[in-house]
Amino acid sequence: MRINTLLAGAVAAIALAGPALAQDVAITGGRVLTGTSVIENGTVVIRGGKVVSVGTGAAPAGLRVIDARGKVVAPGFVAVDSGLAGTEVGSVRGTNDLANRANTLTAAFDLSYGLDPWSFTLPVARLGGVTRAVVTPQHGGSGGGHSHDDSDFAGAGAGGYQTPGLFAGQAAVIKLGGSDILVKPRVAMTAPFGEAGATVAGGARGAEFVLFKETLAETRLYARNKAAYDRAALRDLSLSRADLEALIPVAEGRMPLIVTVNRAADIRQVLRLAREEGVKVILDGAAEGWLVADEIAAAKVPVLLHPLTNLPSNFEMRAARMQNAAALNAAGVVIAIKGNEGGAHRARDLRYNAGNAVSHGLPFAAAIQAITVNPARIFGFDGQFGELKPGAAGDVVVWSGDPLEPLSQPSAVLIDGVEQPLQARNLLLRDRYRTGGEGAMPPAYGN
């Protein structure tokens, strides 16, 4: 891709992320999906960037009114396992701040410092109804040093491992509007297990589990003896001080650990590890999760999944099937549906994936929860976003129809009560090329 082509959209992207003020607004007359219920002919009132009421009846006097008659009103979707604002172009390594490819840091890698509120990826995702995202680091060995939309994901990479780190780093929560997008850094630690995780420890799963337990033991030793560590009176530890500090909340069960794992047998061992070590776990992937759904539910462990994973692409996914989401939900597992792998340029696909899960047995209401309420709850933001209820963020999307149908489009997107432009770089390029042809460039690049 030509560099000037990349830069051509920069000005437009910055304009799309321009500042705006929250409005007091009432959205009336639509079919309101609150995230946990449905209200026909509903009214959603937003003041000061927050939802203050959701019900029926006329809009309060003096508010701007958005007429949603014949439309569907829903909470903004929450993308999990996302790369939004952390990467731009897969073939340009310098634009990818999701992976720390050196082994100087593993657990301590904090991607929140590299987030870009003017990323081209944010307006595109907003057009898919995404208003919040959990941005998750990639393991340093993933993707062979490149970011490809269909292969990159948190923790383990398809390309295997090039560093000895057990951890990919710490995830952050962002919002997809305004110039200050960071909601909260360091919301979860990430680590791969299964085949990819075993590679870190020399090729065998059993080695990784032992190494992981030893790492937690060292973290606890460090936490109890910081003064001795500072005096060099503590035995040598395998991780840096920064990594040990980052792991303390994991070892104490205060920070969840996102574990990328797919094989049913591996899931069982991860559940055992969590039980033995008192670690709070979130399963990522779980392609064979339906085989052990009751055990996952009993352990009260949530799952981030891609419902279209149905091919045995390796020996970890021999039993992958498109009914995985439905089976886990039926067993009582809290699930969150992901966008397509990579989660940056195709984060918007999460609503299509939710729709496909519905076509394979997941109830519609559960699918809506899996892209709104559940992600917020899984990461500790229950009631703060992902739901239309008093006190929640004014993240609301007005849809032309069922948001899980591909032909439905948003007619209004609000984040913290601020209406967002329904525009993105790809649409701007479309319009420019439509009127001026592929060679049409901004005047500054005309020569």
Side-chain angles (χ1 to χ4, degrees):
M1 185 178 294
R2 296 168 57 189
I3 296 300
N4 56 359
T5 301
L6 295 175
L7 298 176
V11 173
I14 292 172
L16 292 175
L21 298 176
Q23 294 181 319
D24 293 341
V25 59
I27 304 170
T28 64
R31 186 170 195 258
V32 177
L33 311 178
T34 69
T36 57
S37 63
V38 179
I39 301 174
E40 302 292 347
N41 192 24
T43 298
V44 180
V45 178
I46 300 171
R47 294 182 186 271
K50 300 284 189 182
V51 175
V52 296
S53 68
V54 183
T56 57
L63 269 64
R64 177 193 169 209
V65 174
I66 296 177
D67 185 353
R69 285 177 295 179
K71 299 179 180 179
V72 176
V73 181
F77 300 149
V78 182
V80 295
D81 194 10
S82 159
L84 290 168
T87 185
E88 289 291 339
V89 181
S91 59
V92 182
R93 191 167 183 167
T95 68
N96 186 350
D97 284 299
L98 297 175
N100 174 40
R101 293 180 173 81
N103 61 4
T104 50
L105 287 177
T106 60
F109 170 44
D110 183 352
L111 58 69
S112 68
Y113 292 107
L115 298 174
D116 180 7
W118 292 280
S119 169
F120 294 135
T121 62
L122 300 185
V124 176
R126 282 201 304 260
L127 292 177
V130 179
T131 58
R132 307 266 165 169
V134 181
V135 187
T136 313
Q138 302 164 338
H139 193 276
S142 64
H146 298 280
S147 296
H148 298 294
D149 235 10
D150 292 330
S151 61
D152 287 348
F153 51 92
Y161 288 87
Q162 301 171 2
T163 77
L166 284 174
F167 305 92
Q170 300 169 85
V173 170
I174 65 168
K175 58 183 179 180
L176 276 65
S179 58
D180 185 9
I181 60 173
L182 181 62
V183 175
K184 187 176 181 180
R186 301 181 293 280
V187 297
M189 186 67 68
T190 55
F193 275 73
E195 286 185 12
T199 305
V200 176
R205 287 173 168 80
E208 187 197 13
F209 279 86
V210 173
L211 184 58
F212 189 91
K213 291 169 77 71
E214 176 60 19
T215 299
L216 290 181
E218 287 193 351
T219 300
R220 290 165 180 142
L221 175 65
Y222 165 78
R224 294 192 303 268
N225 299 280
K226 288 186 180 181
Y229 183 92
D230 290 339
R231 297 193 308 272
L234 196 64
R235 68 174 173 84
D236 289 342
L237 303 178
S238 58
L239 294 181
S240 68
R241 181 190 186 114
D243 288 327
L244 292 166
E245 284 285 349
L247 284 171
I248 289 175
V250 177
E252 294 178 347
R254 293 184 285 111
M255 174 186 283
L257 178 71
I258 303 174
V259 175
T260 303
V261 63
N262 285 296
R263 197 174 75 170
D266 294 334
I267 292 171
R268 274 184 170 164
Q269 292 305 323
V270 169
L271 296 179
R272 174 187 170 190
L273 178 70
R275 185 171 60 250
E276 291 177 348
E277 295 293 337
V279 175
K280 186 177 180 182
V281 167
I282 300 169
L283 299 181
D284 173 37
E288 294 188 351
W290 65 274
L291 288 172
V292 289
D294 290 342
E295 296 174 51
I296 299 172
K300 301 186 184 305
V301 169
V303 174
L304 319 179
L305 58 85
H306 192 300
L308 299 184
T309 301
N310 69 326
L311 296 176
S313 57
N314 55 51
F315 277 90
E316 293 188 306
M317 301 183 183
R318 292 170 298 183
R321 60 192 295 236
M322 295 183 76
Q323 290 79 12
N324 192 31
L328 289 168
N329 177 73
V333 177
V334 177
I335 62 169
I337 290 177
K338 304 197 290 186
N340 286 334
E341 295 295 6
H345 301 283
R346 300 181 66 181
R348 67 187 187 281
D349 292 352
L350 66 86
R351 70 183 180 106
Y352 306 144
N353 295 341
N356 275 288
V358 172
S359 71
H360 289 82
L362 184 67
F364 177 84
I368 293 296
Q369 290 182 9
I371 56 178
T372 56
V373 179
N374 290 358
R377 290 177 176 172
I378 290 171
F379 288 93
F381 293 87
D382 188 10
Q384 298 181 47
F385 57 78
E387 188 173 3
L388 299 183
K389 63 184 294 186
D395 295 1
V396 188
V397 181
V398 180
W399 293 91
S400 60
D402 179 352
L404 304 189
E405 288 288 342
L407 292 180
S408 298
Q409 296 298 324
S411 60
V413 177
L414 291 86
I415 299 176
D416 285 337
V418 178
E419 189 159 4
Q420 305 295 315
L422 298 178
Q423 191 57 277
R425 177 173 175 265
N426 55 326
L427 299 181
L428 293 171
L429 288 172
R430 176 202 64 187
D431 295 341
R432 191 179 80 192
Y433 294 147
R434 175 184 290 171
T435 57
E438 187 170 351
M441 300 293 291
Y445 298 90
N447 298 323

